[in-house]
């Protein structure tokens, strides 16, 4: 994705102020290893904002890794078996910022939840994480299938976090195009 912060239309997303956008660009949150959690329904700009921040972080000379949650789950499950997944996991662990898109889009089995916890635990106080999700953190335990693992993940993620709730109407639905009149 090549979605920049300059292309992000703040008039479409009233949950984010110009001041907050400036603070995202200043990178103090990254230097202090804060996490960002972008919550809201599909189409409100969570991924666009996450990618835009990631590109800005790269321009500042930091290492960034962007992954949809499904891809991350595959990497975690196969990292003991495939060289490609081992390389990807090492890149994730060396990144200053890890962006995980569509977290909790679908339920995880106990092994996946445990592997995700181990990664979050490793990244804790080493890297910043940006998560996009259409599920609020209070629903994560149900999707992880284990309240204990969910609590441990949330404990690390929420220690230093900025949570941005994006509840505006879907950009795609607001600007959808029709074939028929």
């Amino acid at each position: 994705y090549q979605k920049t912060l300059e292309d992000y239309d703040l008039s479409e997303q009233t949950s984010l102020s110009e001041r907050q956008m400036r603070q995202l660009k200043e990178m103090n949150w990254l230097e202090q290893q804060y996490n960002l959690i972008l919550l809201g329904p599909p189409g409100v700009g969570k991924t666009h904002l996450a990618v835009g921040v990631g590109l800005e972080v790269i321009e500042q000379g930091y290492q960034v890794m962007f992954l949809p949650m499904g891809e991350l789950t595959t990497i975690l499950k196969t990292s003991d078996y495939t060289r490609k997944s081992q390389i990807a996991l090492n890149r994730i662990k060396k990144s200053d910022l890890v962006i995980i898109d569509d977290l909790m889009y679908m339920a995880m089995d106990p092994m996946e939840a445990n592997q995700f916890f181990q990664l979050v635990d490793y990244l804790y106080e080493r890297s910043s994480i940006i998560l996009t999700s259409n599920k609020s953190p209070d629903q994560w335990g149900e999707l992880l299938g284990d309240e204990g693992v969910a609590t441990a993940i949330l404990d690390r993620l929420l220690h230093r976090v900025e949570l941005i709730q994006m509840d505006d109407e879907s950009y795609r639905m607001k600007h959808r195009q029709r074939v028929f009149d």
Side-chain angles (χ1 to χ4, degrees):
Y1 308 103
Q2 287 294 323
K3 307 232 180 214
T4 66
L5 290 181
E6 285 70 34
D7 295 335
Y8 194 84
D9 188 353
L10 284 175
S11 67
E12 293 284 343
Q13 183 48 254
T14 59
S15 304
L16 192 66
S17 70
E18 287 185 30
R19 182 174 178 257
Q20 288 172 311
M21 184 64 84
R22 277 193 313 276
Q23 289 175 319
L24 285 175
K25 291 178 181 180
E26 290 170 359
M27 303 297 157
N28 291 336
W29 61 272
L30 182 72
E31 292 165 5
Q32 296 173 29
Q33 294 166 329
Y34 270 73
N35 300 316
L36 301 175
I37 298 178
L38 309 176
L39 296 175
V44 296
K46 299 179 305 290
T47 300
H48 183 156
L49 184 60
V51 169
V53 168
L55 291 172
E56 194 80 21
V57 169
I58 289 168
E59 287 179 21
Q60 299 292 324
Y62 294 98
Q63 296 291 318
V64 176
M65 189 75 172
F66 174 94
L67 308 111
M69 186 62 192
E71 185 179 331
L72 176 60
T73 301
T74 299
I75 289 168
L76 293 172
K77 284 198 294 194
T78 60
S79 65
D80 289 338
Y81 310 106
T82 70
R83 180 127 173 85
K84 181 178 177 183
S85 291
Q86 290 168 357
I87 291 168
L89 185 57
N90 286 335
R91 282 193 61 213
I92 292 166
K93 289 181 175 182
K94 290 177 182 175
S95 293
D96 300 298
L97 173 62
V98 178
I99 302 170
I100 303 170
D101 194 34
D102 287 331
L103 180 72
M104 302 304 155
Y105 189 68
M106 59 184 129
M108 293 179 171
D109 67 37
M111 183 183 83
E112 293 168 340
N114 186 43
Q115 289 172 324
F116 182 60
F117 163 73
Q118 288 177 29
L119 178 63
V120 169
D121 186 54
Y122 179 86
L123 295 173
Y124 177 65
E125 295 193 334
R126 286 186 175 103
S127 304
S128 290
I129 301 171
I130 296 178
L131 303 173
T132 71
S133 182
N134 62 2
K135 306 285 187 202
S136 64
D138 62 344
Q139 297 173 300
W140 293 1
E142 175 185 321
L143 292 164
L144 288 167
D146 186 326
E147 289 292 331
V149 171
T151 300
I153 289 170
L154 287 168
D155 178 64
R156 284 146 183 86
L157 291 174
L158 300 178
H159 177 226
R160 280 192 234 127
V161 71
E162 190 64 41
L163 190 123
I164 300 172
Q165 184 70 45
M166 304 167 82
D167 288 324
D168 291 311
E169 182 182 356
S170 166
Y171 179 85
R172 288 185 285 272
M173 296 308 290
K174 193 185 301 183
H175 299 281
R176 73 186 176 108
Q177 297 177 356
R178 299 178 56 134
V179 173
F180 303 115
D181 293 325

